Amino acid sequence: MKIKNILPLLLFLLSFSFYAQNSKIEEKREKIKAFKVSFLTTELELTSTEAEKFWPIYNAYDDKQFELRHLKMKTYLKKLDDDNINSISEKEAVILLSQMESTDKELYLLREKYMTNLKKVLSAKKILKLKKSEDDFNRKLLQQYRDKAGKD
């Protein structure tokens, strides 16, 4: 499964967690983030110099991406449930679609800037390894979620 397929699924799954308490969400997010840092550190085998430059870039990107995907998209998802989508006007639909396109564009520009910054500190081979490691991490996280959901 490609990351393009996993990310919307993760977004969808994580959107349900927004109904929980804020502190609980932050706690879960921090656990996932710590697990991800550990996983990527092991997989990428960064030198101390690379790690020193890489993590600030990665964390800034990850935080901004989270903000765009989860906080903005949360608003859109609420408006897209069956009851709301059937009752909004065409004008409201055009506005919502425009906002979603704007967020997609922001995500694209963020990713472009991130890649430019990464190329300054990591080799192309390590960047590819990072992409693969992120895919692997997302698969592992999804599998853990499925395993936990199966036990409940």
Side-chain angles (χ1 to χ4, degrees):
M1 194 179 272
K2 293 186 178 182
I3 194 153
K4 288 180 189 175
N5 297 335
I6 293 173
L7 285 177
L9 181 60
L10 283 175
L11 174 63
F12 178 74
L13 294 173
L14 287 173
S15 68
F16 285 107
S17 70
F18 280 102
Y19 296 108
Q21 293 176 326
N22 251 356
S23 62
K24 202 169 191 178
I25 293 169
E26 274 305 308
E27 186 180 310
K28 283 182 183 179
R29 183 166 183 259
E30 289 304 315
K31 279 184 180 180
I32 291 171
K33 198 170 188 176
F35 181 46
K36 188 176 193 179
V37 166
S38 173
F39 186 84
L40 292 178
T41 298
T42 302
E43 294 294 310
L44 294 178
E45 301 170 343
L46 298 172
T47 66
S48 58
T49 305
E50 288 172 330
E52 186 178 308
K53 294 175 182 175
F54 167 76
W55 286 113
I57 293 168
Y58 187 85
N59 289 333
Y61 167 75
D62 194 48
D63 290 344
K64 183 64 177 174
Q65 178 183 248
F66 178 83
E67 176 188 322
L68 289 172
R69 285 191 186 278
H70 299 276
L71 302 181
K72 283 190 173 185
M73 290 297 196
K74 173 185 161 189
T75 304
Y76 308 149
L77 289 173
K78 279 184 182 177
K79 292 179 181 179
L80 288 177
D81 75 20
D82 288 337
D83 293 335
N84 289 337
I85 202 161
N86 290 326
S87 65
I88 65 172
S89 69
E90 186 62 25
K91 185 177 179 180
E92 290 170 321
V94 167
I95 292 169
L96 181 59
L97 190 57
S98 176
Q99 290 171 335
M100 292 171 76
E101 289 169 347
S102 176
T103 299
D104 283 343
K105 189 173 186 175
E106 279 183 79
L107 283 164
Y108 173 78
L109 294 173
L110 176 67
R111 180 93 182 150
E112 197 173 60
K113 181 181 174 188
Y114 167 66
M115 291 305 287
T116 300
N117 289 336
L118 272 185
K119 289 175 184 175
K120 294 175 187 174
V121 297
L122 296 179
S123 68
K125 188 174 177 177
K126 281 206 177 174
I127 293 172
L128 290 174
K129 198 172 186 178
L130 170 63
K131 287 178 155 294
K132 183 188 178 313
S133 296
E134 286 177 317
D135 287 348
D136 292 346
F137 173 80
N138 288 331
R139 272 192 291 282
K140 193 171 190 168
L141 186 64
L142 191 56
Q143 187 59 48
Q144 284 183 351
Y145 178 79
R146 286 180 180 155
D147 291 347
K148 185 178 178 186
K151 291 178 183 176
D152 290 341

